[in-house]
């Protein structure tokens, strides 16, 4: 059983830390780093953010969770499960209270809090420099998917869920029953709660296997009850058991998984933090410094598989694996390095900052963060980028009296929904399904002869809003009865002459 021995209650007497700690510094620097970085605009600029906000707004206006599609003209009234309904309400509530800046600040806070929790967990098990390295890799892998979307609310829940279960197993404690409400909250915030169930089941088995043989049967009953209650907890949603079907539905969508960017495999022709992470873990393992129990090894390999298959899972790999490898890595390191204390000043500072932060330091950090936010707000940086907000094109279409249904680029669907324009297609691929998605892609890429013309007629399209470079634009320019009325670096608009 791992020895958890690194938590310090007080720093070494010869080192003054002014009440600061590594978790506090990691959280503060992560928060400020996001607000000051060039990525802050990208945090707000995902196309799906707009339709999530529109869904939250619809729920606040109607006082209900939608069960059918209220936003498209291609599939109106189609059954639709708003798996992330609670997160959508939170997002639109933040925006209505504080504008786009509130969304950016909330995303940065969630990011920072998640890393601070991870750092505290790791410091209880390993040397501060190693904890910092793992946390830095986790931060880099999370940052690539740091967007104002429902999944960010899942990050701290996933961290606490895995961290608490790992800690309970390593300390030989029983199931942490107080975690069960986290699964109910998670199930209403984001559809990835099934990952939590899978990890929870595996870590429950890991805890049972760590129990002494004579006590294993009783432990198995307790942990089995915990897993069963976890499953019951995720059913407390407006959709009941249907939420459990969502991952299977997504994984069976072959067309969507082949064309939607975040579901593609990472492109290793470009620099990837995942590659550096893999090289680091491989190097540590080959050097004999990391030996994982077989169950944790299977979990890490499974997470690596998901990250290599779908780049949207890179953040999950970076977030979960530090909790799984921390104790085995620390034990193996101590076994090969010995336990002699290094008295160099840098090491003493690192160790001193592993102690919990003092109240005064926490208060001072909050003041600094608040001051930075106050200085950042007037700069106008905390707004979405224009690439996913074709405002000029939409206004041009209205000036041209565009009427009838629109054929829009996939990435413009969210913005149109946000502006109360019924769309042909948006980011809810699970609702549209592979068949319509394939027909749409074949039409706008001119893959099938006559496909665009047939689609325009079948859906009585009155105008189009497409991204520059879309092959369909060249055909629309030559097609009788269609007129280009607007073009800029963001979008191109064609209107059917004479309406529909």
């Amino acid at each position: 059983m791992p020895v958890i021995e690194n938590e310090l209650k007080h720093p070494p007497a010869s080192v003054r830390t002014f009440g600061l700690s590594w978790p506090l510094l990691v959280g503060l620097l992560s928060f400020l780093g996001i607000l000051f970085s060039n990525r802050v605009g990208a945090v707000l600029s995902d196309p799906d953010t707009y339709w999530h906000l529109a869904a939250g707004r619809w729920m606040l206006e109607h006082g209900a969770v939608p069960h059918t599609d209220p936003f498209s003209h291609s599939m109106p009234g189609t059954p639709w499960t708003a798996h992330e309904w609670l997160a959508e309400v939170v997002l639109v509530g933040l925006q209505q209270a504080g504008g786009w800046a509130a969304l950016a600040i909330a995303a940065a806070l969630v990011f920072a809090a998640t890393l601070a929790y991870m750092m505290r967990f790791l410091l209880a098990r390993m040397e501060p420099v190693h904890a910092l390295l793992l946390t830095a890799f986790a931060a880099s892998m999370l940052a690539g998917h740091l967007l104002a979307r429902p999944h960010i609310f899942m990050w701290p829940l996933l961290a606490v869920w895995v961290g608490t279960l790992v800690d309970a197993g390593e300390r030989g404690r029983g199931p942490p029953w107080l975690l069960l409400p986290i699964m109910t909250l998670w199930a209403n915030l984001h559809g990835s709660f099934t990952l939590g169930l899978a990890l929870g089941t595996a870590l429950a088995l890991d805890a049972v296997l760590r129990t002494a043989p004579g006590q294993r049967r009783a432990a198995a009953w307790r942990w089995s009850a915990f897993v069963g209650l976890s499953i019951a907890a995720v059913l407390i949603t407006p959709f009941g058991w249907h939420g459990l079907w969502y991952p299977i539905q997504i994984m069976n969508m072959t067309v969507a998984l082949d064309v939607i960017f975040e579901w593609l495999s990472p492109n290793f022709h470009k620099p990837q933090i995942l590659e550096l992470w893999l090289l680091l873990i491989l190097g540590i393992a080959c050097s004999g410094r990391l030996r994982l129990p077989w169950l944790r090894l299977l979990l890490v390999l499974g997470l690596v598989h998901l990250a290599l298959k779908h780049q949207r899972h890179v953040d999950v790999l970076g977030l979960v694996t530090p909790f799984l490898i921390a104790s085995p890595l620390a034990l193996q390191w101590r076994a090969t390095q010995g336990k002699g204390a290094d008295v160099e000043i840098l090491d003493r500072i690192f160790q001193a900052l592993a102690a919990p932060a003092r109240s005064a330091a926490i208060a001072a950090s909050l003041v600094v963060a608040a001051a930075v936010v106050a200085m950042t707000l007037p700069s106008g940086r905390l707004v979405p980028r224009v690439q996913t907000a074709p405002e000029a094109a939409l206004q041009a279409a209205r000036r041209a009296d565009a009427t009838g249904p629109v054929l829009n680029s996939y990435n413009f669907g969210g913005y149109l929904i946000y502006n109360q324009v019924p769309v042909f297609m948006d980011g809810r691929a699970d609702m549209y399904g592979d068949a319509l998605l394939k027909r749409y892609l074949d039409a706008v890429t001119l893959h099938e002869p006559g496909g665009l013309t047939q689609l325009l007629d079948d859906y009585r399209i009155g105008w189009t809003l497409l991204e520059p470079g879309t092959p369909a634009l060249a055909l629309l320019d030559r097609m009788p009865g269609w007129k280009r009325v607007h073009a800029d670096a963001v979008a191109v608009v064609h209107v059917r002459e004479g309406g529909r």
Side-chain angles (χ1 to χ4, degrees), residues 156-201:
L157 300 183
L158 175 58
V160 172
W161 176 256
V162 173
T164 305
L165 289 177
V166 168
D167 187 71
E170 291 180 349
R171 295 180 185 273
R173 296 172 177 170
W177 304 103
L178 293 178
L179 273 188
L180 293 174
I182 283 184
M183 289 309 301
T184 299
L185 179 61
W186 190 347
N188 287 279
L189 285 170
H190 194 254
S192 63
F193 66 89
T194 51
L195 172 65
L197 290 178
L199 290 170
T201 301

Short mmCIF file of all heavy atoms in Angstrom, two decimals, residues 156-201:
data_model
loop_
_atom_site.label_atom_id
_atom_site.label_comp_id
_atom_site.label_asym_id
_atom_site.label_seq_id
_atom_site.Cartn_x
_atom_site.Cartn_y
_atom_site.Cartn_z
N PRO A 156 -13.48 19.81 -12.74
CA PRO A 156 -13.27 19.68 -11.29
C PRO A 156 -14.01 18.49 -10.70
O PRO A 156 -13.52 17.87 -9.73
CB PRO A 156 -13.79 21.01 -10.73
CG PRO A 156 -14.70 21.56 -11.77
CD PRO A 156 -14.16 21.08 -13.08
N LEU A 157 -15.16 18.14 -11.26
CA LEU A 157 -15.88 16.97 -10.76
C LEU A 157 -15.09 15.70 -11.03
O LEU A 157 -15.00 14.82 -10.16
CB LEU A 157 -17.26 16.88 -11.41
CG LEU A 157 -18.20 18.07 -11.19
CD1 LEU A 157 -19.56 17.81 -11.84
CD2 LEU A 157 -18.37 18.36 -9.71
N LEU A 158 -14.54 15.59 -12.23
CA LEU A 158 -13.72 14.41 -12.57
C LEU A 158 -12.49 14.33 -11.68
O LEU A 158 -12.13 13.25 -11.20
CB LEU A 158 -13.31 14.49 -14.04
CG LEU A 158 -12.36 13.40 -14.56
CD1 LEU A 158 -12.96 12.02 -14.37
CD2 LEU A 158 -12.03 13.65 -16.04
N ALA A 159 -11.85 15.47 -11.44
CA ALA A 159 -10.65 15.48 -10.59
C ALA A 159 -10.99 15.04 -9.17
O ALA A 159 -10.29 14.18 -8.59
CB ALA A 159 -10.03 16.88 -10.59
N VAL A 160 -12.04 15.60 -8.59
CA VAL A 160 -12.42 15.24 -7.21
C VAL A 160 -12.89 13.79 -7.15
O VAL A 160 -12.58 13.06 -6.20
CB VAL A 160 -13.51 16.20 -6.69
CG1 VAL A 160 -14.06 15.73 -5.35
CG2 VAL A 160 -12.95 17.61 -6.56
N TRP A 161 -13.64 13.36 -8.14
CA TRP A 161 -14.15 11.98 -8.18
C TRP A 161 -12.99 10.98 -8.19
O TRP A 161 -12.91 10.10 -7.33
CB TRP A 161 -15.02 11.81 -9.41
CG TRP A 161 -15.55 10.45 -9.67
CD1 TRP A 161 -15.11 9.56 -10.61
CD2 TRP A 161 -16.65 9.79 -9.02
NE1 TRP A 161 -15.85 8.40 -10.59
CE2 TRP A 161 -16.80 8.51 -9.62
CE3 TRP A 161 -17.50 10.15 -7.98
CZ2 TRP A 161 -17.77 7.60 -9.22
CZ3 TRP A 161 -18.49 9.24 -7.58
CH2 TRP A 161 -18.61 7.98 -8.18
N VAL A 162 -12.07 11.15 -9.15
CA VAL A 162 -10.95 10.21 -9.25
C VAL A 162 -10.01 10.37 -8.07
O VAL A 162 -9.56 9.38 -7.46
CB VAL A 162 -10.20 10.43 -10.58
CG1 VAL A 162 -8.93 9.58 -10.64
CG2 VAL A 162 -11.09 10.09 -11.76
N GLY A 163 -9.69 11.61 -7.69
CA GLY A 163 -8.76 11.83 -6.58
C GLY A 163 -9.25 11.24 -5.28
O GLY A 163 -8.48 10.60 -4.54
N THR A 164 -10.52 11.41 -4.99
CA THR A 164 -11.08 10.89 -3.73
C THR A 164 -11.13 9.38 -3.73
O THR A 164 -10.84 8.73 -2.72
CB THR A 164 -12.48 11.48 -3.49
OG1 THR A 164 -12.43 12.90 -3.53
CG2 THR A 164 -13.02 11.04 -2.14
N LEU A 165 -11.49 8.78 -4.87
CA LEU A 165 -11.55 7.32 -4.95
C LEU A 165 -10.15 6.71 -4.84
O LEU A 165 -9.95 5.70 -4.17
CB LEU A 165 -12.21 6.89 -6.26
CG LEU A 165 -13.72 7.16 -6.35
CD1 LEU A 165 -14.24 6.77 -7.73
CD2 LEU A 165 -14.47 6.39 -5.27
N VAL A 166 -9.19 7.31 -5.53
CA VAL A 166 -7.82 6.82 -5.44
C VAL A 166 -7.31 6.94 -4.00
O VAL A 166 -6.70 6.01 -3.45
CB VAL A 166 -6.89 7.60 -6.40
CG1 VAL A 166 -5.43 7.31 -6.10
CG2 VAL A 166 -7.21 7.24 -7.85
N ASP A 167 -7.58 8.06 -3.36
CA ASP A 167 -7.12 8.28 -1.99
C ASP A 167 -7.76 7.26 -1.04
O ASP A 167 -7.08 6.71 -0.16
CB ASP A 167 -7.47 9.70 -1.55
CG ASP A 167 -6.88 10.04 -0.19
OD1 ASP A 167 -5.65 10.19 -0.10
OD2 ASP A 167 -7.66 10.15 0.78
N ALA A 168 -9.06 7.01 -1.21
CA ALA A 168 -9.73 6.04 -0.34
C ALA A 168 -9.12 4.66 -0.50
O ALA A 168 -8.91 3.94 0.48
CB ALA A 168 -11.22 6.02 -0.66
N GLY A 169 -8.85 4.26 -1.73
CA GLY A 169 -8.26 2.95 -1.97
C GLY A 169 -6.86 2.84 -1.41
O GLY A 169 -6.50 1.82 -0.80
N GLU A 170 -6.06 3.88 -1.59
CA GLU A 170 -4.67 3.83 -1.12
C GLU A 170 -4.58 3.87 0.40
O GLU A 170 -3.64 3.32 0.97
CB GLU A 170 -3.89 4.99 -1.73
CG GLU A 170 -3.68 4.83 -3.24
CD GLU A 170 -2.90 5.99 -3.85
OE1 GLU A 170 -2.71 7.01 -3.17
OE2 GLU A 170 -2.51 5.85 -5.02
N ARG A 171 -5.52 4.51 1.05
CA ARG A 171 -5.49 4.59 2.51
C ARG A 171 -6.26 3.43 3.17
O ARG A 171 -6.36 3.37 4.40
CB ARG A 171 -6.07 5.92 2.98
CG ARG A 171 -5.25 7.12 2.57
CD ARG A 171 -5.87 8.41 3.06
NE ARG A 171 -5.18 9.61 2.59
CZ ARG A 171 -4.14 10.18 3.20
NH1 ARG A 171 -3.69 9.65 4.33
NH2 ARG A 171 -3.57 11.25 2.70
N GLY A 172 -6.84 2.55 2.35
CA GLY A 172 -7.57 1.42 2.90
C GLY A 172 -8.89 1.79 3.53
O GLY A 172 -9.38 1.08 4.41
N ARG A 173 -9.47 2.88 3.08
CA ARG A 173 -10.75 3.31 3.63
C ARG A 173 -11.91 2.72 2.83
O ARG A 173 -11.73 2.20 1.73
CB ARG A 173 -10.83 4.83 3.62
CG ARG A 173 -9.80 5.50 4.52
CD ARG A 173 -9.79 7.00 4.32
NE ARG A 173 -8.84 7.65 5.24
CZ ARG A 173 -8.49 8.93 5.16
NH1 ARG A 173 -9.02 9.70 4.21
NH2 ARG A 173 -7.63 9.44 6.01
N GLY A 174 -13.11 2.85 3.38
CA GLY A 174 -14.29 2.39 2.68
C GLY A 174 -14.72 3.37 1.61
O GLY A 174 -14.10 4.42 1.40
N PRO A 175 -15.80 3.04 0.92
CA PRO A 175 -16.29 3.92 -0.16
C PRO A 175 -16.64 5.32 0.37
O PRO A 175 -17.24 5.45 1.45
CB PRO A 175 -17.54 3.20 -0.66
CG PRO A 175 -17.38 1.78 -0.22
CD PRO A 175 -16.63 1.83 1.06
N PRO A 176 -16.27 6.36 -0.35
CA PRO A 176 -16.61 7.73 0.06
C PRO A 176 -18.04 8.07 -0.37
O PRO A 176 -18.28 8.63 -1.42
CB PRO A 176 -15.57 8.59 -0.69
CG PRO A 176 -15.23 7.78 -1.90
CD PRO A 176 -15.39 6.34 -1.52
N TRP A 177 -18.99 7.75 0.49
CA TRP A 177 -20.41 7.87 0.13
C TRP A 177 -20.80 9.31 -0.20
O TRP A 177 -21.73 9.53 -1.01
CB TRP A 177 -21.28 7.37 1.28
CG TRP A 177 -20.95 5.97 1.69
CD1 TRP A 177 -20.24 5.58 2.77
CD2 TRP A 177 -21.31 4.76 1.00
NE1 TRP A 177 -20.11 4.20 2.82
CE2 TRP A 177 -20.77 3.68 1.74
CE3 TRP A 177 -22.02 4.49 -0.17
CZ2 TRP A 177 -20.93 2.35 1.35
CZ3 TRP A 177 -22.18 3.17 -0.56
CH2 TRP A 177 -21.64 2.13 0.18
N LEU A 178 -20.11 10.28 0.37
CA LEU A 178 -20.45 11.67 0.10
C LEU A 178 -20.15 12.09 -1.33
O LEU A 178 -20.56 13.18 -1.75
CB LEU A 178 -19.70 12.59 1.08
CG LEU A 178 -20.12 12.47 2.55
CD1 LEU A 178 -19.27 13.40 3.42
CD2 LEU A 178 -21.60 12.81 2.73
N LEU A 179 -19.46 11.22 -2.08
CA LEU A 179 -19.20 11.53 -3.50
C LEU A 179 -20.42 11.32 -4.39
O LEU A 179 -20.46 11.84 -5.50
CB LEU A 179 -18.08 10.62 -4.02
CG LEU A 179 -16.63 11.06 -3.85
CD1 LEU A 179 -15.71 10.10 -4.61
CD2 LEU A 179 -16.41 12.48 -4.36
N LEU A 180 -21.40 10.56 -3.92
CA LEU A 180 -22.52 10.19 -4.79
C LEU A 180 -23.24 11.39 -5.40
O LEU A 180 -23.60 11.37 -6.58
CB LEU A 180 -23.49 9.30 -4.02
CG LEU A 180 -22.94 7.92 -3.64
CD1 LEU A 180 -23.92 7.17 -2.77
CD2 LEU A 180 -22.62 7.12 -4.90
N PRO A 181 -23.49 12.48 -4.63
CA PRO A 181 -24.13 13.64 -5.27
C PRO A 181 -23.33 14.23 -6.43
O PRO A 181 -23.91 14.88 -7.32
CB PRO A 181 -24.26 14.65 -4.11
CG PRO A 181 -24.26 13.81 -2.88
CD PRO A 181 -23.35 12.67 -3.18
N ILE A 182 -22.02 14.02 -6.42
CA ILE A 182 -21.21 14.51 -7.54
C ILE A 182 -21.66 13.87 -8.84
O ILE A 182 -21.71 14.52 -9.90
CB ILE A 182 -19.71 14.26 -7.28
CG1 ILE A 182 -19.19 15.29 -6.29
CG2 ILE A 182 -18.90 14.30 -8.58
CD1 ILE A 182 -17.70 15.19 -6.03
N MET A 183 -22.01 12.58 -8.80
CA MET A 183 -22.43 11.90 -10.03
C MET A 183 -23.77 12.44 -10.52
O MET A 183 -23.98 12.56 -11.73
CB MET A 183 -22.52 10.40 -9.79
CG MET A 183 -21.17 9.72 -9.64
SD MET A 183 -19.99 10.11 -10.96
CE MET A 183 -20.85 9.55 -12.42
N THR A 184 -24.67 12.77 -9.59
CA THR A 184 -25.93 13.37 -10.02
C THR A 184 -25.70 14.73 -10.65
O THR A 184 -26.27 15.05 -11.71
CB THR A 184 -26.88 13.51 -8.81
OG1 THR A 184 -27.15 12.22 -8.27
CG2 THR A 184 -28.19 14.16 -9.24
N LEU A 185 -24.86 15.53 -10.03
CA LEU A 185 -24.53 16.84 -10.59
C LEU A 185 -23.87 16.68 -11.96
O LEU A 185 -24.23 17.38 -12.92
CB LEU A 185 -23.61 17.59 -9.64
CG LEU A 185 -23.15 18.99 -10.07
CD1 LEU A 185 -24.33 19.93 -10.25
CD2 LEU A 185 -22.15 19.55 -9.06
N TRP A 186 -22.92 15.77 -12.06
CA TRP A 186 -22.20 15.53 -13.31
C TRP A 186 -23.16 15.10 -14.42
O TRP A 186 -23.07 15.59 -15.56
CB TRP A 186 -21.14 14.45 -13.05
CG TRP A 186 -20.15 14.22 -14.14
CD1 TRP A 186 -20.20 14.66 -15.43
CD2 TRP A 186 -18.93 13.48 -14.02
NE1 TRP A 186 -19.09 14.22 -16.13
CE2 TRP A 186 -18.30 13.51 -15.28
CE3 TRP A 186 -18.32 12.80 -12.97
CZ2 TRP A 186 -17.08 12.86 -15.52
CZ3 TRP A 186 -17.11 12.17 -13.20
CH2 TRP A 186 -16.50 12.20 -14.46
N ALA A 187 -24.08 14.21 -14.10
CA ALA A 187 -25.02 13.70 -15.11
C ALA A 187 -25.91 14.80 -15.67
O ALA A 187 -26.40 14.69 -16.80
CB ALA A 187 -25.87 12.59 -14.52
N ASN A 188 -26.13 15.85 -14.91
CA ASN A 188 -26.96 16.96 -15.39
C ASN A 188 -26.14 18.07 -16.04
O ASN A 188 -26.71 18.96 -16.68
CB ASN A 188 -27.78 17.53 -14.23
CG ASN A 188 -28.91 16.62 -13.82
OD1 ASN A 188 -29.97 16.60 -14.44
ND2 ASN A 188 -28.68 15.83 -12.78
N LEU A 189 -24.83 18.02 -15.87
CA LEU A 189 -23.96 19.04 -16.45
C LEU A 189 -23.38 18.62 -17.79
O LEU A 189 -23.23 19.44 -18.70
CB LEU A 189 -22.80 19.36 -15.50
CG LEU A 189 -23.11 20.20 -14.27
CD1 LEU A 189 -21.93 20.22 -13.33
CD2 LEU A 189 -23.50 21.63 -14.67
N HIS A 190 -23.04 17.33 -17.92
CA HIS A 190 -22.32 16.90 -19.14
C HIS A 190 -22.51 15.41 -19.36
O HIS A 190 -22.55 14.63 -18.40
CB HIS A 190 -20.84 17.23 -19.02
CG HIS A 190 -20.09 17.13 -20.31
ND1 HIS A 190 -19.25 16.10 -20.60
CD2 HIS A 190 -20.09 17.94 -21.39
CE1 HIS A 190 -18.74 16.28 -21.81
NE2 HIS A 190 -19.23 17.38 -22.31
N GLY A 191 -22.59 15.02 -20.63
CA GLY A 191 -22.85 13.62 -20.97
C GLY A 191 -21.69 12.68 -20.71
O GLY A 191 -21.85 11.46 -20.87
N SER A 192 -20.54 13.17 -20.28
CA SER A 192 -19.38 12.32 -20.02
C SER A 192 -19.45 11.60 -18.68
O SER A 192 -18.48 10.95 -18.29
CB SER A 192 -18.10 13.15 -20.08
OG SER A 192 -18.10 14.14 -19.05
N PHE A 193 -20.57 11.71 -17.98
CA PHE A 193 -20.66 11.06 -16.67
C PHE A 193 -20.46 9.56 -16.76
O PHE A 193 -20.08 8.91 -15.79
CB PHE A 193 -22.01 11.37 -16.01
CG PHE A 193 -23.19 10.78 -16.74
CD1 PHE A 193 -23.64 9.51 -16.45
CD2 PHE A 193 -23.86 11.52 -17.71
CE1 PHE A 193 -24.73 8.96 -17.12
CE2 PHE A 193 -24.94 10.98 -18.38
CZ PHE A 193 -25.37 9.70 -18.09
N THR A 194 -20.71 8.97 -17.95
CA THR A 194 -20.49 7.53 -18.10
C THR A 194 -19.01 7.19 -17.93
O THR A 194 -18.67 6.09 -17.48
CB THR A 194 -20.99 7.05 -19.46
OG1 THR A 194 -20.43 7.88 -20.50
CG2 THR A 194 -22.51 7.13 -19.53
N LEU A 195 -18.12 8.11 -18.31
CA LEU A 195 -16.70 7.91 -18.05
C LEU A 195 -16.45 7.84 -16.55
O LEU A 195 -15.65 7.02 -16.08
CB LEU A 195 -15.89 9.05 -18.67
CG LEU A 195 -14.40 9.10 -18.32
CD1 LEU A 195 -13.69 7.88 -18.88
CD2 LEU A 195 -13.76 10.38 -18.83
N GLY A 196 -17.13 8.71 -15.79
CA GLY A 196 -16.99 8.67 -14.34
C GLY A 196 -17.44 7.34 -13.77
O GLY A 196 -16.81 6.80 -12.84
N LEU A 197 -18.53 6.79 -14.31
CA LEU A 197 -18.99 5.48 -13.84
C LEU A 197 -17.96 4.40 -14.14
O LEU A 197 -17.68 3.54 -13.29
CB LEU A 197 -20.32 5.12 -14.51
CG LEU A 197 -21.55 5.92 -14.08
CD1 LEU A 197 -22.76 5.48 -14.88
CD2 LEU A 197 -21.81 5.77 -12.59
N ALA A 198 -17.38 4.44 -15.34
CA ALA A 198 -16.38 3.44 -15.71
C ALA A 198 -15.15 3.54 -14.81
O ALA A 198 -14.64 2.53 -14.30
CB ALA A 198 -15.99 3.61 -17.17
N LEU A 199 -14.66 4.76 -14.60
CA LEU A 199 -13.50 4.95 -13.73
C LEU A 199 -13.83 4.56 -12.29
O LEU A 199 -13.01 3.96 -11.59
CB LEU A 199 -13.03 6.40 -13.79
CG LEU A 199 -12.39 6.85 -15.11
CD1 LEU A 199 -12.19 8.36 -15.12
CD2 LEU A 199 -11.06 6.14 -15.33
N GLY A 200 -15.02 4.94 -11.85
CA GLY A 200 -15.42 4.59 -10.48
C GLY A 200 -15.48 3.10 -10.26
O GLY A 200 -15.05 2.59 -9.21
N THR A 201 -15.99 2.35 -11.25
CA THR A 201 -16.06 0.90 -11.13
C THR A 201 -14.65 0.30 -11.06
O THR A 201 -14.38 -0.58 -10.23
CB THR A 201 -16.83 0.31 -12.32
OG1 THR A 201 -18.14 0.87 -12.37
CG2 THR A 201 -16.93 -1.19 -12.21
#
